[in-house]
């Protein structure tokens, strides 16, 4: 039986470095197919996005300066696209609403997905939706803190928003999200994004290159 490596990916959905790392993981999934399993979890950086930008970028151009910085990051990396409207015309209030929706989707998926599909990461709907959320913000410049936009995204992914409503209403999605947020202090993580491998003994943080991730996986296979 082929050994499967588990990777826990923790990031804020509005974090450009989490977006770039997610792009690398999409490539990695296809290269390693059934040899890796990715567990997508969340860290709060943009819980209060306005405070984050005003505190960190007040003397560097505020929203406009932050937006220009992301353009420079995308140009330097070369494999992600960042719409110039984000943090200028498109200013999400929080990343937590998108995170909450994702936890509801993950819980819905766990309850309803067949075992055969669950063993094939390429078929997991939650991964598809998470990637599309990032694309919706970073590439299309849409406010993913807006529930109407999130509901439209679900419909486009052939998920009726009503299906995830019970997990939002009964508090289970919120409990799961808070459990994710607690991992940062519990595991003494440095922030978004972080990859955990080898039962959390290996930590990769920040602007992580593809070959670095690959080398860590190869060492465990």
């Amino acid at each position: 039986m082929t050994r499967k490596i588990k990777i826990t990916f923790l990031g804020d959905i509005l974090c450009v470095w989490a977006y770039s790392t997610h792009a690398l993981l999409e490539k990695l999934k296809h290269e390693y197919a059934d040899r890796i399993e990715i567990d997508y979890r969340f860290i709060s950086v943009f819980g209060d996005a306005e405070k984050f930008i005003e505190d960190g970028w007040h003397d560097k151009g505020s929203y406009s300066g932050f937006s220009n910085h992301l353009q420079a990051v995308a140009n330097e990396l070369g494999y992600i696209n960042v719409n110039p409207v984000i943090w200028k015309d498109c200013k999400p209030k929080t990343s937590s609403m998108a995170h909450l929706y994702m936890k509801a989707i993950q819980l819905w998926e766990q309850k309803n997905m067949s075992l055969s599909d669950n063993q094939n990461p390429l078929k997991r709907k939650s991964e598809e939706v998470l990637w599309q959320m990032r694309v919706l913000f970073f590439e299309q410049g849409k406010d993913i803190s807006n529930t109407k936009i999130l509901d439209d995204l679900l419909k486009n992914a052939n998920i009726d928003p009503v299906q995830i409503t019970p997990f939002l209403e009964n508090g289970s999605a919120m409990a799961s999200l808070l459990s994710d947020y607690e991992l940062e202090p519990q595991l003494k993580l440095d922030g978004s994004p972080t990859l955990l491998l080898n039962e959390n003994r290996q930590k990769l943080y920040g602007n992580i290159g593809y070959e670095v991730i690959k080398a860590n996986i190869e060492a465990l296979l």
Side-chain angles (χ1 to χ4, degrees), residues 9-165:
F9 172 36
L10 301 104
D12 189 297
I13 202 165
L14 297 178
C15 169
V16 71
W17 300 112
Y19 167 46
S20 66
T21 299
H22 196 159
L24 298 180
L25 293 181
E26 287 294 300
K27 178 181 176 182
L28 204 71
K29 278 196 306 180
H30 287 84
E31 180 170 352
Y32 285 90
D34 61 349
R35 290 185 291 171
I36 64 171
E37 176 185 352
I38 305 173
D39 181 23
Y40 296 85
R41 311 289 287 270
F42 302 99
I43 285 175
S44 180
V45 176
F46 294 87
D48 183 344
E50 183 176 0
K51 184 177 187 301
F52 173 85
I53 292 173
E54 286 302 322
D55 285 353
W57 289 83
H58 179 76
D59 297 324
K60 296 181 287 186
S62 191
Y63 281 94
S64 181
F66 187 54
S67 178
N68 293 338
H69 166 68
L70 298 191
Q71 290 292 314
V73 167
N75 290 336
E76 182 176 351
L77 291 176
Y79 59 86
I80 59 171
N81 297 311
V82 171
N83 194 308
V85 304
I86 67 171
W87 302 119
K88 290 181 180 177
D89 298 323
C90 174
K91 301 177 180 179
K93 298 295 185 183
T94 181
S95 58
S96 292
M97 188 59 72
H99 292 170
L100 185 63
Y101 262 60
M102 279 308 311
K103 298 312 295 186
I105 293 165
Q106 289 174 346
L107 291 170
W108 164 78
E109 184 175 64
Q110 290 166 14
K111 182 177 180 180
N112 294 282
M113 181 176 269
S114 69
L115 179 61
S116 61
D117 283 348
N118 195 47
Q119 290 176 337
N120 184 351
L122 298 181
K123 291 185 178 180
R124 287 170 58 184
K125 181 67 72 172
S126 62
E127 296 190 15
E128 173 191 333
V129 172
L130 178 56
W131 174 247
Q132 288 304 317
M133 278 189 186
R134 286 193 161 105
V135 168
L136 199 62
F137 174 63
F138 284 102
E139 295 189 16
Q140 300 179 26
K142 302 297 183 181
D143 181 358
I144 57 171
S145 68
N146 186 310
T147 57
K148 292 181 179 179
I149 289 176
L150 292 173
D151 286 343
D152 285 343
L153 171 60
L154 295 188
K155 292 173 185 175
N156 289 335
N158 296 316
I159 300 174
D160 186 341
V162 172
Q163 293 178 294
I164 71 165
T165 298

